């Protein structure tokens, strides 16, 4: 494992940019960016357009390692190039640590949770990620109701696959998202914290994970997880909150940094001039950095 990147992710001041919208989320990500579905006629064109959007973000002067510690990539982005380099190498050369989203989407909701779908060919994908100098991975489940046994299943699945990822020499970001509109969000977060702690305590001392969590209703709910010796860093998804709201809630949580997708790109549009785009991205980066680093 790249020790310099490990140190940066563990102790660096900044946040992680989530640029990994999956196939399922891409049409909405493009629509939010100002590209309607009638502007592309097949998946290939869609992926080319979203790679252009991500390239515009990644190559912007606002997308700098001064405030951005890492970036989470979609598999196709990892296999494409930015200015003649593989995307992960381009990022690493900018001092930004590359991560790869490895999940293949969510299973149907059952008993108030969505497990991850089976991930075929994971070993092969992890091998390729290592070849592309990727540091870590990210995979997302979804929790909607406070059903203890089912939340336990979500966490068990995450850690079981997480250990496979650790074996492959990468650091897994474990992301059991809690839906921000869940009726019993606080009760879910109490159960989730306990279930994650149980799995963390089973790890060997040289097995490291990261956690990507919904910003909790109770400030500092996850303090004990943040301080756990097997946890490199705990980061927060924006979950559908506006950037202002996500930043406001994040500021209430010590040592919790952002890993936003929607909240990062919400003011970026295809039709913007270079300076409008770059200044919109700079504003987003500055405000998310501030919420990640300067707490109340
Ligand atoms: O496309 P997916 O896999 O459903 O994930 C969508 C997004 O959810 C995230 O986990 C969190 O994104 P948000 O900050 O927009 O909630 C991102 O990493 C990812 O881009």
């Amino acid at each position: 494992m790249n020790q310099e990147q490990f140190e940066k992710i563990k102790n660096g001041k900044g946040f992680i940019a989530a640029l990994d919208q999956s196939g399922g989320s891409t049409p909405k990500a493009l629509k939010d960016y100002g590209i309607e579905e009638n502007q592309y006629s097949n998946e290939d064109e869609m992926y080319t357009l979203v790679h252009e959007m991500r390239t515009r973000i990644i190559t912007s002067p606002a997308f700098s390692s001064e405030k951005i510690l890492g970036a989470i990539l979609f598999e196709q982005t990892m296999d494409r190039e930015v200015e003649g380099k593989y995307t992960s190498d381009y990022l690493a050369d900018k001092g930004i640590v590359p991560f790869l989203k490895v999940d293949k989407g969510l299973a149907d909701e059952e008993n108030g949770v969505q497990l991850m779908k089976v991930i075929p060919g994971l070993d092969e994908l992890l091998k390729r990620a290592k070849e592309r100098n990727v540091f870590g991975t990210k995979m997302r489940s979804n929790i909607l109701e406070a059903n203890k046994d089912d939340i336990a299943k979500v966490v068990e699945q995450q850690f079981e696959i997480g250990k496979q990822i650790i074996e492959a020499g990468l650091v897994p970001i474990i992301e059991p998202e809690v839906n921000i509109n869940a009726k019993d969000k606080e009760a879910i977060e109490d159960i989730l914290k306990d279930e994650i702690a149980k799995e963390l305590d089973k790890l060997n001392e040289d097995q490291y994970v990261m956690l990507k969590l919904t910003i909790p209703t109770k400030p500092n709910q996850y303090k004990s997880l943040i301080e756990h010796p097997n946890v490199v860093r705990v980061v927060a998804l924006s979950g559908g909150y506006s950037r202002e709201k996500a930043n406001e809630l994040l500021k209430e949580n010590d040592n919790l940094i952002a890993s936003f997708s929607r909240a990062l790109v919400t003011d970026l549009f295809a039709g913007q001039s270079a300076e409008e785009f770059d200044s919109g991205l700079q504003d987003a980066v500055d405000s998310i950095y501030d919420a990640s680093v300067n707490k109340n």
Side-chain angles (χ1 to χ4, degrees):
M1 175 191 313
N2 182 317
Q3 207 48 44
E4 190 190 334
Q5 290 181 329
F6 184 92
E7 280 310 311
K8 177 182 274 260
I9 294 299
K10 181 161 184 56
N11 300 314
K13 286 175 101 175
F15 66 93
I16 291 179
L19 303 174
D20 63 308
Q21 298 89 338
S22 58
S25 314
T26 298
K28 172 117 180 24
L30 283 174
K31 190 168 167 47
D32 293 347
Y33 181 57
I35 295 179
E36 299 299 332
E37 293 199 44
N38 60 16
Q39 290 177 255
Y40 48 92
S41 43
N42 57 51
E43 267 210 349
D44 256 0
E45 286 177 14
M46 178 184 82
Y47 283 126
T48 299
L49 285 166
V50 79
H51 188 64
E52 282 167 9
M53 174 186 93
R54 289 166 176 157
T55 299
R56 207 175 172 193
I57 293 169
I58 289 173
T59 56
S60 166
F63 200 84
S64 102
S65 59
E66 247 165 64
K67 296 190 173 178
I68 298 175
L69 299 172
I72 306 172
L73 304 177
F74 178 56
E75 185 179 346
Q76 287 221 11
T77 312
M78 176 183 80
D79 290 330
R80 291 181 185 230
E81 296 189 353
V82 171
E83 295 186 359
K85 293 180 189 171
Y86 279 118
T87 309
S88 43
D89 291 330
Y90 179 88
L91 285 167
D93 290 349
K94 267 187 114 164
I96 294 174
V97 180
F99 291 81
L100 173 68
K101 183 236 283 298
V102 293
D103 69 70
K104 294 294 179 231
L106 297 169
D108 292 342
E109 182 187 336
E110 248 184 81
N111 305 325
V113 301
Q114 289 180 278
L115 293 170
M116 292 184 285
K117 281 183 186 161
V118 170
I119 309 176
L122 179 59
D123 280 332
E124 190 46 42
L125 179 58
L126 297 174
K127 211 159 122 284
R128 272 194 317 112
K130 281 299 277 181
E131 283 159 13
R132 288 274 187 281
N133 304 314
V134 168
F135 173 79
T137 67
K138 200 270 287 186
M139 53 189 172
R140 171 171 165 263
S141 320
N142 194 29
I143 302 167
L144 303 111
E145 291 172 18
N147 303 335
K148 185 174 184 311
D149 295 347
D150 300 285
I151 293 173
K153 283 196 193 109
V154 164
V155 174
E156 280 154 21
Q157 182 192 41
Q158 282 275 356
F159 274 81
E160 186 202 329
I161 298 172
K163 285 174 208 158
Q164 193 180 342
I165 293 165
I166 292 169
E167 267 311 293
L170 295 135
V171 175
I173 299 179
I174 283 177
E175 183 184 20
E177 175 168 354
V178 177
N179 189 297
I180 60 168
N181 299 314
K183 190 169 56 65
D184 307 316
K185 184 170 180 287
E186 218 170 312
I188 293 171
E189 290 164 348
D190 286 338
I191 298 167
L192 180 60
K193 181 175 73 170
D194 294 345
E195 292 306 322
I196 291 175
K198 274 186 215 160
E199 289 296 333
L200 287 173
D201 290 344
K202 292 183 201 165
L203 295 176
N204 304 330
E205 62 179 17
D206 61 348
Q207 289 180 307
Y208 294 105
V209 301
M210 291 170 63
L211 303 173
K212 179 160 175 172
L213 304 171
T214 299
I215 304 170
T217 301
K218 267 201 301 282
N220 298 312
Q221 161 77 357
Y222 298 125
K223 184 172 184 299
S224 57
L225 304 183
I226 289 171
E227 293 169 349
H228 196 284
N230 291 86
V231 173
V232 181
R233 202 79 184 251
V234 181
V235 303
L237 58 102
S238 53
Y241 292 125
S242 69
R243 180 162 69 237
E244 291 65 32
K245 184 70 183 160
N247 283 340
E248 178 198 316
L249 295 175
L250 185 61
K251 258 185 176 293
E252 292 168 12
N253 289 271
D254 298 336
N255 301 307
L256 182 65
I257 66 172
S259 174
F260 296 165
S261 171
R262 283 164 283 184
L264 173 67
V265 300
T266 187
D267 293 340
L268 303 182
F269 304 101
Q272 285 173 318
S273 66
E275 54 269 44
E276 284 167 342
F277 185 91
D278 291 343
S279 86
L281 182 56
Q282 192 64 64
D283 290 349
V285 167
D286 291 347
S287 69
I288 295 170
Y289 175 86
D290 176 60
S292 295
V293 174
N294 305 315
K295 301 298 182 178
N296 290 341

